Amino acid sequence: MKGVIMAGGKGTRLRPLTCNLPKPMVPILEKPVMEYAIELLKRYGVTEIAVTVHYLPDQIKQYFGNGNQFGVELHYFEETTPLGTAGSIKNAEEFLDEPFIVISGDALTDFNLQAGIDFHNQKNALATIFMKQVETPLEYGVIMTNESNRIVRFLEKPSWNEVFSDTVNTGIYILEPEIFRYLQKDVPTDFSKDLFPLLMKENEGLYGFQSEGYWSDIGSLNQYRKSHDDFLDGLIDLPITGKEITPGVYVGQNVVIEELATVKAPVYIGSGTIVRKHAKILPYTVIGAHSKISPFASLKRSILWNDVYVGVGSELRGTTIASSTSLDEASCLYEHSVIGNQVHIGKKVTVKPEVKVWPEKGIIDNTIVHTSLIWGKKTTRSLFTSRGISGIANIEITPDFVARVASAYGSVLSQGGLLGVASDDHPFSELILKAFVQGLHSAGIHTVDISPTMAPVLRYIIEQEEWVGGVYIRFCNHHNEMLVVIELYDEKGLSIDGGMERKIENAFWQEDYRRAPFDKIGIGMHESGKSERYMKKVLNGVNIRSIQECAFQIVLNANGSPFSMVSKLFERLNCSVITVPSETSQENMIGVVQATGSHLGIWIDQSGERLQVMTEDGSWLDEDQMLSLYVLLAFGDHQLSQYAVPVYGSSELDQLADKLNGTLIRTKADARSILEVGGTVLNVQYDAIFALSSILNMISSRQMPLTQLVKMLPEIRLIRESVQCPSRVKGRVMRKLMEETKGQQIDLVDGIKVYHPGGGWTLILPDIVDPTFTVYSQGPDLESAREKSKSYVHKIKSFQQM
């Protein structure tokens, strides 16, 4: 069997460590991570190895040469343009004339490759994927197999609501030469996104081998640091270079540790390094070759590459420092800071946590470095939540932060594109929008500002115009949260998809911003009449005279831009309004509606998307009733042929749709999925003004109060329960649930929906961001639904403990 090491990665998430170094050459305990892959292949008799290279290939070739020094034969195949993980091996087709094993040059693993080879041969497989269970599967390809270990489902980089297992693709494969029939030369092709789905579609022999042992994808700075800790803890069955002089203390050749120096296990000290007297090398520190640690320096949980100089009295805590960097005396570097190669740090410099410094920079004496030396620092694991970017006003969401986000967004759009922007009327939203616009302009993106307005208005205008997308910023003070929310839209007015989010995140974390030439920067315009265009569209869909004749009296709870828009709507529809303060409770609103004899009460959220309605007798419509009302509007007044509802919508909605000669489409419970089905962003589920005008139109046209309309709605037998679950075990819970439901009818549109033989169903839906599951259960009656819900809540809790 031959081998393939994929060594073309740039390692962008490891910057600044990889600014001048290909990812496979990143060292772990003094050796490039790719060297461990070569040693593993050699351990199992694989000595003829193809190496696919692309980024800085000469560094890899110069270090490993023809492989003789490492007891193997290396043959290099270079991509001039990126061909993807699968496309790159097509270049080596003539060399790979027998079964071969593929391993990533940046993977650290001690898997028993022979066990996988035997499995592959027993199954007579065309392709075998080494699988591994992990705590957080979001960054990998998630896999599900049947009883014979054949892969039946595969999803690359899912969100939590798409996760069906904690078993993932490790990027280690055994392939037959016949695999090249499915690959075209010089055509970019990815294993996970292209080849494996094709093999499943063609019903070819694609199998999953459940691997035992250690595996880590050195894809992020956190994972890189953790791999060192795992090595020092003895969790990896690979040889450590160097000699163990005392338990847990490993040193290379010609290491000098002077008397009165302190070294506490576990640590690794590379060849030729000198540790001066009174220096402290504390646990989980790794020092590369030929480094010098001065007296009274203190290092703990830090990783130093080769030729690093640490000055007298310097303190290193959880930092990572690339080769040939020097620190003068009394400098302090703190948790998760990262310093590139050939950086000079002056005397008494403090580098704060999370700060990154790019290579070949200099920091003068007595400097306190709060942010990355170039443009910024990473403050959160992920930019995006389930709806855009959000954070505490002027704490997490600051003008400098959003300017960098805007630069990243602008950098993934075509230069010269026109983007719609807007905010609500809060002063801080306006401030943040100005900063965002400046970032867009610096990337060469033009903007049209239609502020102040609501999110649904901006979405509709984007849909009508030839804009490349949009940005909406609002201030959320609900329950004193003091949050700012930033939502990004595509050219259709829909929330950007996951692929675009990842592009923006990559540009942001890599600090890879496009800076337009000074004479090509973006230009800003302001057009205040766009909201009127939206209002005309809404009013064109209702019988204005009929509503005016009803002279509705309405109690309104809304503020900011929604209040302004609703007031304009009511003025044109001859509705009298009783406004209540935004902090008014729902119970107090009931009293106002009943005391004033109003026709209905209205609450609108600060985004202008969500509507809550109270009947004239003081009853709030719950979420299920509102969804039923929207189905009634869709197929009754709006006369649509099909309409999208979230997958958790009750079965009674289908019965209502059938009566109205309509078809319901079940989608994921997010705005983009639902709006895509309708073909327009004008949708009552995500547009409070449109929903309110439609409800008033229905009441007036049918000449019946809202209470009578509610009686037309079906009785919903649906139970909802929320269950706490740490994110690290979410994948395990989903896998166990999938295993338990084998043989049952299930639906994986969003989460896991299990249909019960006796009628009804249960949906287990993990939250995309928060450590929770929501369990929805429907049955022939509420009691049976409650029992099913209780059962699955118990399962989720018990699976967490396994």
Side-chain angles (χ1 to χ4, degrees), residues 647-712:
V647 68
Y648 60 74
S650 70
S651 301
E652 286 84 5
L653 297 179
D654 297 281
Q655 298 169 16
L656 177 60
D658 288 341
K659 291 180 181 178
L660 299 169
N661 299 315
T663 301
L664 286 183
I665 307 296
R666 304 286 171 152
T667 75
K668 294 178 182 178
D670 63 77
R672 181 180 177 87
S673 298
I674 289 172
L675 295 178
E676 274 184 316
V677 173
T680 176
V681 296
L682 210 59
N683 188 306
V684 290
Q685 291 184 62
Y686 290 96
D687 187 336
I689 301 295
F690 183 46
L692 177 56
S693 64
S694 299
I695 291 171
L696 293 177
N697 189 64
M698 178 178 286
I699 293 173
S700 64
S701 64
R702 302 197 182 194
Q703 292 295 301
M704 61 174 61
L706 185 56
T707 50
Q708 293 300 311
L709 280 177
V710 172
K711 290 179 180 178
M712 297 172 57

Side-chain angles (χ1 to χ4, degrees), residues 747-758:
D747 191 333
L748 300 176
V749 170
D750 204 8
I752 302 174
K753 191 173 186 178
V754 185
Y755 293 90
H756 307 309

Side-chain angles (χ1 to χ4, degrees), residues 3-22:
V4 176
I5 295 178
M6 294 186 293
K10 291 183 177 181
T12 49
R13 288 186 295 159
L14 290 174
R15 288 179 181 174
L17 299 179
T18 52
C19 286
N20 302 317
L21 192 73

Side-chain angles (χ1 to χ4, degrees), residues 704-758:
M704 61 174 61
L706 185 56
T707 50
Q708 293 300 311
L709 280 177
V710 172
K711 290 179 180 178
M712 297 172 57
L713 304 178
E715 181 183 352
I716 305 299
R717 298 182 294 275
L718 186 67
I719 299 295
R720 287 180 178 81
E721 292 192 66
S722 181
V723 190
Q724 291 293 312
C725 177
S727 295
R728 60 183 173 81
V729 295
K730 270 185 178 179
R732 179 204 305 166
V733 170
M734 293 298 282
R735 171 173 55 85
K736 297 297 291 183
L737 288 169
M738 287 296 296
E739 291 173 356
E740 279 220 346
T741 56
K742 281 185 178 179
Q744 300 183 53
Q745 182 185 354
I746 62 171
D747 191 333
L748 300 176
V749 170
D750 204 8
I752 302 174
K753 191 173 186 178
V754 185
Y755 293 90
H756 307 309

Side-chain angles (χ1 to χ4, degrees), residues 249-436:
V249 176
Y250 300 88
V251 299
Q253 298 178 353
N254 304 317
V255 170
V256 176
I257 302 176
E258 295 185 347
E259 290 188 28
L260 302 180
T262 300
V263 178
K264 293 186 177 181
V267 299
Y268 178 91
I269 303 174
S271 300
T273 287
I274 299 176
V275 180
R276 298 296 186 184
K277 61 183 178 181
H278 301 299
K280 292 182 179 180
I281 311 300
L282 302 177
Y284 296 100
T285 293
V286 172
I287 304 173
H290 308 295
S291 294
K292 296 176 177 60
I293 313 302
S294 299
F296 299 102
S298 175
L299 285 68
K300 184 177 182 180
R301 286 193 174 274
S302 295
I303 300 169
L304 279 61
W305 290 9
N306 299 339
D307 300 299
V308 174
Y309 174 79
V310 180
V312 175
S314 290
E315 181 177 321
L316 278 58
R317 292 292 183 267
T319 188
T320 303
I321 303 175
S323 298
S324 304
T325 284
S326 63
L327 288 71
D328 290 348
E329 64 183 69
S331 289
C332 298
L333 280 66
Y334 292 114
E335 287 79 3
H336 302 305
S337 58
V338 184
I339 312 299
N341 64 296
Q342 299 184 38
V343 171
H344 176 247
I345 296 177
K347 298 177 182 178
K348 297 182 180 179
V349 168
T350 298
V351 179
K352 292 288 189 176
E354 301 281 355
V355 166
K356 293 184 288 186
V357 178
W358 252 240
E360 303 175 19
K361 306 301 176 188
I363 303 177
I364 62 175
D365 297 350
N366 301 301
T367 299
I368 299 177
V369 187
H370 294 276
T371 60
S372 295
L373 189 57
I374 302 177
W375 292 303
K377 67 176 181 179
K378 181 174 180 179
T379 56
T380 58
R381 179 189 170 276
S382 175
L383 279 179
F384 291 90
T385 64
S386 56
R387 289 296 299 274
I389 302 167
S390 65
I392 301 171
N394 227 19
I395 301 296
E396 296 171 321
I397 303 295
T398 61
D400 58 311
F401 169 79
V402 299
R404 297 196 304 273
V405 172
S407 295
Y409 184 25
S411 297
V412 302
L413 299 173
S414 297
Q415 186 169 327
L418 186 60
L419 203 72
V421 302
S423 73
D424 61 20
D425 57 1
H426 193 281
F428 193 76
S429 301
E430 295 170 359
L431 170 68
I432 292 300
L433 181 62
K434 289 177 182 177
F436 203 102

